[in-house]
């Protein structure tokens, strides 16, 4: 897995320099993002399927898909250049457990996808994200949102939503504030 993570970092630096895919501009920045993506495996329950909303340059979905090869990952990203990068990574790393769709969550049909885990990193506030994505989460599923400086405000907003949907939300706030 280490070799594939290194290749992912190399590809992101290469493509990111040309296409501005991420705020991570150095190998160390990317290593930090990889570590943040994977550290949640210490506390999150095992899962068989994951919907990553606003996948961007692949955090957290690419590192998680490498660490959890038996889980199915669906990556949603509306930006064409980021989708092209994600497809390139999928092929280069032989990630057969990835499905990449160029679309926003609002365009996804609730009848088409049902997953154990929904992830997102710095996309929108938690309350809106929960409202938009809840129809895609299995009954015993979990949300995992990687959040930065607005965490306390979003937790206050999300608590009522968690109760309404009966789902568990994990907020991971150790991540760095890169785009």
């Amino acid at each position: 897995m280490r070799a594939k993570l290194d290749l992912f970092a190399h590809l992101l630096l290469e493509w990111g320099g040309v296409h501005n895919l991420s705020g991570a501009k150095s190998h160390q920045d990317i290593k930090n993002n990889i570590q943040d993506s994977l550290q949640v495996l210490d506390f999150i329950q095992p899962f068989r399927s994951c919907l990553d909303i606003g996948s961007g340059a692949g955090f957290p979905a690419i590192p998680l898909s490498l660490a959890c090869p038996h889980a199915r990952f669906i990556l949603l990203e509306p930006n064409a250049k980021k989708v092209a990068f994600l497809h390139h990574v999928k092929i280069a790393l032989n990630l057969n457990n990835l499905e990449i769709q160029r679309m926003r969550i609002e365009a996804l049909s609730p009848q088409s996808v049902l997953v154990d885990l929904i992830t997102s990193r710095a996309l929108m506030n938690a309350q809106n994200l929960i409202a938009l994505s809840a129809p895609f989460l299995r009954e015993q599923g979990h949300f995992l949102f990687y959040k930065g400086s607005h965490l306390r405000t979003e937790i206050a907003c999300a608590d009522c939503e968690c109760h309404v949907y009966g789902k568990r939300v994990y907020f991971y706030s150790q991540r760095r504030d890169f785009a």
Side-chain angles (χ1 to χ4, degrees):
M1 182 172 91
R2 170 71 52 210
K4 287 189 175 188
L5 287 171
D6 287 342
L7 179 55
F8 171 58
H10 173 76
L11 292 171
L12 183 52
L13 281 174
E14 182 181 294
W15 278 60
V18 175
H19 300 288
N20 193 29
L21 299 175
S22 167
K25 303 296 184 204
S26 71
H27 190 72
Q28 187 59 50
D29 290 344
I30 294 169
K31 281 179 67 174
N32 291 342
N33 281 304
I34 289 170
Q35 180 182 1
D36 287 346
S37 296
L38 295 175
Q39 193 165 4
V40 299
L41 294 173
D42 293 341
F43 65 83
I44 195 155
Q45 294 181 3
F47 58 94
R48 293 181 318 245
S49 56
C50 176
L51 175 63
D52 185 53
I53 303 170
S55 297
F59 297 111
I62 299 297
L64 286 175
S65 69
L66 286 166
C68 305
H70 300 294
R72 178 176 154 246
F73 288 80
I74 302 165
L75 284 62
L76 297 184
E77 173 56 52
N79 183 289
K81 66 182 175 181
K82 291 176 182 177
V83 167
F85 171 72
L86 293 170
H87 278 292
H88 182 74
V89 168
K90 176 182 176 174
I91 293 166
L93 301 181
N94 195 28
L95 291 171
N96 296 322
N97 60 339
L98 287 187
E99 176 185 333
I100 302 162
Q101 296 186 21
R102 184 177 173 210
M103 67 172 52
R104 296 183 183 280
I105 185 68
E106 297 89 343
L108 190 63
S109 168
Q111 294 79 20
S112 65
V113 174
L114 198 59
V115 297
D116 302 319
L117 178 67
I118 294 178
T119 59
S120 186
R121 183 175 181 264
L123 181 65
M124 65 179 71
N125 77 51
Q127 189 173 16
N128 291 343
L129 195 51
I130 291 168
L132 287 170
S133 62
F136 306 101
L137 194 62
R138 291 188 197 283
E139 185 62 33
Q140 298 300 314
H142 301 283
F143 296 99
L144 172 60
F145 300 149
Y146 293 71
K147 291 295 186 177
S149 59
H150 301 290
L151 176 63
R152 291 191 195 285
T153 304
E154 292 195 37
I155 288 174
C157 293
D159 283 345
C160 60
E161 292 296 324
C162 296
H163 179 70
V164 168
Y165 292 112
K167 308 294 182 184
R168 184 150 189 195
V169 179
Y170 294 100
F171 289 94
Y172 182 62
S173 64
Q174 295 300 313
R175 72 165 205 82
R176 281 79 176 158
D177 283 314
F178 297 127

